[in-house]
Structure formats: structure tokens, C-alpha cells
């Protein structure tokens, strides 16, 4: 790879690091508000080191007349996420006195909005640590993507390309200029976050808890300010969480389309209708099952089930009680839900709803072709023809996500973890869900007791899942590095 190209990549990563350094001022302000000045040094030093590193990459300047190719975008995407995670881990090491492995795992889980955690004692933790974890999820949810879409056009680099390497959104562009798209996306993201803060506060949370949970709900991340997650708070806040998780799991490009006059963009979208319909049927069916098999009233059963189901499907990671103790049926149901994910172009992870819908469309077309071999069967989804490129990309991604989960689970089993922990840990990492199943990493546990090697492998799985695997795997091909 040419030196000018590497300089350009370094310049852009440097901008991200400077932004990260500046954002550390918010935890510092939080410490002053809560009168914990003794913890300031952790963020002061971390911010200074990150700022120096960012300036070192930016000061040489961006070379003129350098055009980044699509393959350069894949390297930029992966390198920027790794760089941000490395520097964002510093405050956790200095403030919470945990190992670099644990700090990197927690940060990668935050930035990829996975929600898995190695920390305990959150109810008594430093407010700066709590707000920093929430900010990482908020930035990772869509903040970094939107910022890239806004910044890269100014550098004469196609910002939408980076957006597409970080998401599966292959729909039509909602507007011709990507920096305008970024403004609308950021505006929607901020609006949802602010409305969430107000709604959480009205539901009984303190302002601090409301701010944290609003950021992690809209980002579908799932970090909480309590070891009990949402179980600590009033039932009204559970309904707020459900609404915010749903908002974060729908395509942000469709919100932009709605703002620009297409009022029926969300309603008419086949993916959105399928996603919401699936959630409604699953929550109602599961609520009836829990109602008959527990002492809960139907309304309580509906609330508990809806929080947990929506949290898992949208890959948020909140927990309300330990659903792994509900019996074998519940365990298997939640394991299957781990793979679903939200909609393309959202802050959710997982396989995404459109891939399931396209698979059903292809199955239906193939069955009709068997009955009518000479017929020309149209294969359409959401009003568009399913061309060979889309079908190939879906098959490739589905195959490699299955292989990746299997390989990680096998490695975790080699480290001595039980099959339940190994398999669900791999699935929850790659699908960016958060909690796994079982007594160790289930909704009532965390990942602290896992060996360091397992944490590094799971962190790699989180990155692969967030960047939809192919973006990272392409870097390991010989053809990628050839001129």
C-alpha cells in the first residue's frame, strides 16, 4: 500500500482520536459535578495521551490528490475501530484498576454496542466510569458512522462508502449528498436520545441514570448503571426502554426519508413491517406461556417478556431477571432469538431481519420453480429485484457468520469452558447481543471469570460481528495487499 494512502488513513484515524480525547471532557465534568476530583487524573492523562497520538497522525497533513479505493475503506474501518478501542480503554485501567485485557474487552463491547461486561459493583462505581461506558456505546451505535459520513466528504472521500462497510444497508440513497445525510442522521439520533432522557426521568430514574440509559438504549448497547440492569428501576422505565430499543433498531435512513417528506417510509418498508410483526407475535406468545407457567399476572408477564425479547432481538443486552431459569423452552427460544438482530441501517447487530425475509423469498421462488420448471419466477424484495450480487452477499455472510461462531465456540471449549458457555458466548459476541446463557455469562452473570484468552477471542468476535465479518476477513487475503 502506497505511503500517501497510509498517510491519508492515519490522518482520518487521527481525527477520530482527537474527537475521542475531547469527548473525555464529559466524564471529567461529571466528576466535578459529583465532587470526585480524586478520579480526574485518570481521564486527564488518558485524554492527553489520546490527543497527542491523534495530533501526531493529523499534523503531517493529508496528501493531495489521493483517492481512497473501496479496499482502502475496509482497512480504514477496521483500523479506526481498533485504534479507538485501544485508547478508550485507558480510563478504565486507570480508574477501575483492571487489567488491559479486561479494559479492552469492556471497551470493545461498548464501542461495538455488544453490552457484555466484566465489571461488577456498578451501583457503587465512579460516575465517570459509568458515563464513559455509556458514551462509548452511544458513539459506537451510530455516532462514529455519522461523523465519518460528515467528515470524509470534506476530505474529498466518499463518506457513504464507509457507512456501507459498517452496515448492511444496501437500500437506495435517501439524498444525493452524504454530508446532508449525516446531519439528518445525527439530528434524529440526538432527538431520540434527548427524548429518552426525559422519558426515563419521568418514569422515576434520576437524571444521571436517565442520561446513561437513554444513550445505551438508543444505541442498542445495554450497559446499565446497576448490576441488576433494568431490574433496579420501576416498571414504567421498562416500557420506555422497549420503545427506545425499537427506535434504535429501525433503519435510520428511513427516519431521514420521513423527515424529507416521505411520511410513509417506515410503514411501507417490508423489513420494518416484518420485524415489528415478528416481535409482536413472539412477545405475545411468550407472555402467554410465562403467564401459564409462573405466578406473574399477564401484564407483568408481558412487560418482563417484552423487555427481554426486544433486548435480545435488537442486540441491546438489558436483562430483567434471569430468563435462563425459565426452563428449557425459554433457553432454546432465547438462543434462537440471539441471531435475529434488528433492521439494516440501524444500531443493532445480528443477522438482520432482511436476510431472513430474502431467504424466505428465495425459498418460495425455488419451490414454485420446482412445480413449474419452465416458468420465469420473479424474485423481488421491498419492491426491488433480487439480483445475483445481493443473493451472493447474503449467502456469503450467512455462511461465514455461522463458521465464525462455530470456530470461536470450539476455541472456547478448548480453553475448558462448558458447551453452553462456549456456544452462547460465541453467538452473543458475534451477534453483538451482550449476555449469553447459563450460570456464568447468562443474564445474571458476566464475563469476568473467563480466561484472558477467551476475552481476546470474544473481543475479536465482537469486532467481526459489528463490521459484518467480510469487512475484516478481506484484510487477510493476499490479493488485498497486492498493488
Amino acid at each position: 500500500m502506497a505511503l500517501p494512502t497510509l498517510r491519508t488513513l492515519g490522518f482520518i484515524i487521527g481525527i477520530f482520536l482527537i474527537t475521542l480525547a475531547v469527548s473525555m471532557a464529559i466524564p471529567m465534568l461529571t466528576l466535578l459535578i459529583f465532587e470526585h476530583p480524586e478520579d480526574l487524573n485518570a481521564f486527564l492523562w488518558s485524554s492527553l495521551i489520546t490527543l497527542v497520538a491523534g495530533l501526531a497522525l493529523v499534523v503531517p497533513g493529508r496528501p493531495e490528490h489521493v483517492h481512497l479505493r473501496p479496499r482502502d475503506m475496509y482497512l480504514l474501518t477496521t483500523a479506526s475501530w481498533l485504534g479507538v478501542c485501544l485508547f478508550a480503554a485507558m480510563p478504565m485501567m486507570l480508574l477501575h484498576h483492571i487489567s488491559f485485557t479486561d479494559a479492552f474487552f469492556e471497551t470493545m463491547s461498548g464501542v461495538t454496542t455488544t453490552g457484555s461486561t466484566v465489571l461488577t459493583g456498578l451501583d457503587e462505581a465512579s460516575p465517570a466510569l459509568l458515563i464513559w461506558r455509556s458514551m462509548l456505546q452511544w458513539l459506537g451505535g451510530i455516532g462514529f458512522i455519522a461523523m465519518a459520513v460528515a467528515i470524509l466528504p470534506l476530505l474529498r472521500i466518499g463518506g457513504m462508502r464507509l457507512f456501507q462497510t459498517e452496515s448492511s444497508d444496501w437500500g437506495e440513497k435517501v439524498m444525493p449528498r452524504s454530508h446532508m445525510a449525516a446531519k439528518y442522521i445525527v439530528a434524529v439520533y440526538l432527538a431520540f436520545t434527548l427524548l429518552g432522557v426525559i422519558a426515563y426521568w419521568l418514569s422515576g430514574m434520576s437524571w444521571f441514570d436517565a442520561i446513561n440509559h437513554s444513550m445505551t438504549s438508543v444505541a442498542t448497547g445495554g450497559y446499565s448503571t446497576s448490576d441488576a440492569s433494568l431490574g433496579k428501576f420501576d416498571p414504567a422505565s421498562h416500557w420506555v426502554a422497549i420503545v427506545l430499543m425499537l427506535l434504535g433498531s429501525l433503519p435510520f435512513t428511513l427516519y431521514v426519508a420521513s423527515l424529507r417528506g416521505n411520511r410513509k417510509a417506515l410503514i411501507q418498508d417490508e423489513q420494518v413491517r416484518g420485524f415489528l410483526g415478528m416481535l409482536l407475535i413472539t412477545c405475545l406468545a411468550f407472555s402467554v406461556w410465562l403467564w401459564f407457567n409462573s405466578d406473574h399476572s399477564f401484564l407483568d408477564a408481558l412487560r418482563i417478556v417484552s423487555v427481554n425479547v426486544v433486548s435480545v432481538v435488537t442486540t441491546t443486552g438489558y436483562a430483567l431477571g434471569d430468563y435462563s431459569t425459565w426452563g428449557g423452552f425459554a433457553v432454546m427460544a432465547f438462543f434462537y432469538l440471539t441471531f435475529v438482530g434488528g433492521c439494516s441501517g440501524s444500531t443493532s447487530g445480528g443477522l438482520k431481519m432482511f436476510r431472513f425475509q430474502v431467504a424466505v423469498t428465495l425459498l418460495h421462488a425455488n419451490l414454485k420453480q420446482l412445480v413449474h420448471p419452465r416458468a420465469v419466477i420473479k424474485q423481488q424484495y421491498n419492491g426491488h429485484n433480487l439480483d445475483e450480487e445481493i443473493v451472493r452477499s447474503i449467502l456469503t455472510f450467512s455462511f461465514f457468520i455461522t463458521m465464525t461462531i462455530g470456530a470461536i465456540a470450539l476455541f472456547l471449549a478448548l480453553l475448558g469452558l462448558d458447551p453452553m458457555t462456549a456456544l452462547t458466548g460465541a453467538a452473543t459476541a458475534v451477534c453483538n447481543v451482550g449476555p449469553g446463557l447459563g450460570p456464568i455469562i447468562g443474564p445474571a452473570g458476566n464475563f469476568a471469570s473467563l480466561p484472558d484468552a477467551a476475552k481476546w477471542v470474544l473481543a475479536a468476535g465482537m469486532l467481526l460481528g459489528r463490521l459484518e465479518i467480510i469487512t475484516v476477513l478481506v484484510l487477510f487475503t493476499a490479493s488485498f495487499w497486492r498493488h
Side-chain angles (χ1 to χ4, degrees), residues 23 26-27 30 110 113 127-143 189-198 200 205 207-225 240-241 244-245 248 252 316 318 347:
S23 67
I26 295 178
T30 303
T113 69
L129 177 68
L130 297 176
I131 200 73
W132 183 237
R133 293 167 80 242
S134 301
M135 285 178 59
L136 290 178
Q137 291 202 326
W138 190 84
L139 290 170
I142 210 170
Y189 201 54
L190 281 170
F192 286 165
T193 306
L194 292 174
L195 289 174
V197 171
I198 296 170
Y200 271 129
M205 284 189 181
W207 279 110
F208 182 74
D209 288 331
I211 291 170
N212 279 275
H213 284 87
S214 181
M215 286 194 288
T216 60
S217 297
V218 174
T220 61
Y223 276 161
S224 178
T225 56
V240 174
L244 291 176
M245 288 188 286
F252 275 74
T316 305
Y318 288 139
T347 62

Side-chain angles (χ1 to χ4, degrees), residues 253-264:
T253 51
L254 294 184
Y255 292 133
V256 175
S258 299
L259 288 175
R260 290 179 58 81
N262 186 1
R263 304 301 180 192
K264 297 181 179 180

Side-chain angles (χ1 to χ4, degrees), residues 467-478:
L467 301 185
E468 305 230 319
I469 297 181
I470 306 301
T471 301
V472 180
L473 291 184
V474 71
L475 302 181
F476 294 93
T477 62

Side-chain angles (χ1 to χ4, degrees), residues 145-275:
I145 298 174
M147 184 176 65
V149 174
I151 291 174
L152 296 186
L154 301 179
L155 304 174
R156 295 190 294 279
I157 299 166
M160 276 298 177
R161 283 185 183 171
L162 182 61
F163 182 81
Q164 290 165 353
T165 63
E166 294 190 0
S167 81
S168 55
D169 190 7
W170 46 270
E172 294 178 298
K173 288 186 178 180
V174 293
M175 57 188 63
R177 291 184 296 174
S178 57
H179 70 277
M180 285 300 295
K183 289 180 180 179
Y184 276 93
I185 289 171
V186 170
V188 171
Y189 201 54
L190 281 170
F192 286 165
T193 306
L194 292 174
L195 289 174
V197 171
I198 296 170
Y200 271 129
W201 178 71
L202 292 174
S203 74
M205 284 189 181
S206 67
W207 279 110
F208 182 74
D209 288 331
I211 291 170
N212 279 275
H213 284 87
S214 181
M215 286 194 288
T216 60
S217 297
V218 174
T220 61
Y223 276 161
S224 178
T225 56
S226 172
D227 290 333
S229 191
L230 289 179
K232 177 184 176 181
F233 304 100
D234 294 337
S237 65
H238 304 163
W239 296 109
V240 174
I242 292 170
V243 172
L244 291 176
M245 288 188 286
L246 288 175
L247 290 174
S249 63
L250 300 182
F252 275 74
T253 51
L254 294 184
Y255 292 133
V256 175
S258 299
L259 288 175
R260 290 179 58 81
N262 186 1
R263 304 301 180 192
K264 297 181 179 180
L266 281 167
I267 300 173
Q268 293 176 340
D269 188 77
E270 192 172 328
Q271 181 181 203
V272 172
R273 293 202 307 267
F275 175 68

Side-chain angles (χ1 to χ4, degrees), residues 255-326:
Y255 292 133
V256 175
S258 299
L259 288 175
R260 290 179 58 81
N262 186 1
R263 304 301 180 192
K264 297 181 179 180
L266 281 167
I267 300 173
Q268 293 176 340
D269 188 77
E270 192 172 328
Q271 181 181 203
V272 172
R273 293 202 307 267
F275 175 68
L276 295 178
M278 182 276 296
L279 278 178
L280 179 62
I281 293 171
T282 303
C283 288
L284 288 175
F286 219 135
S287 298
V288 171
W289 178 86
L290 183 62
W291 182 35
F292 278 109
N293 290 276
S294 70
D295 296 329
H296 296 296
S297 66
F298 179 75
L299 188 60
D300 280 343
L302 179 63
R303 173 177 54 85
I304 294 168
V305 164
S306 296
V307 168
N308 287 305
V309 168
V310 173
S311 177
V312 171
V313 171
T314 62
T315 70
T316 305
Y318 288 139
L320 188 57
D322 187 358
Y323 48 76
S324 64
T325 63
W326 294 356

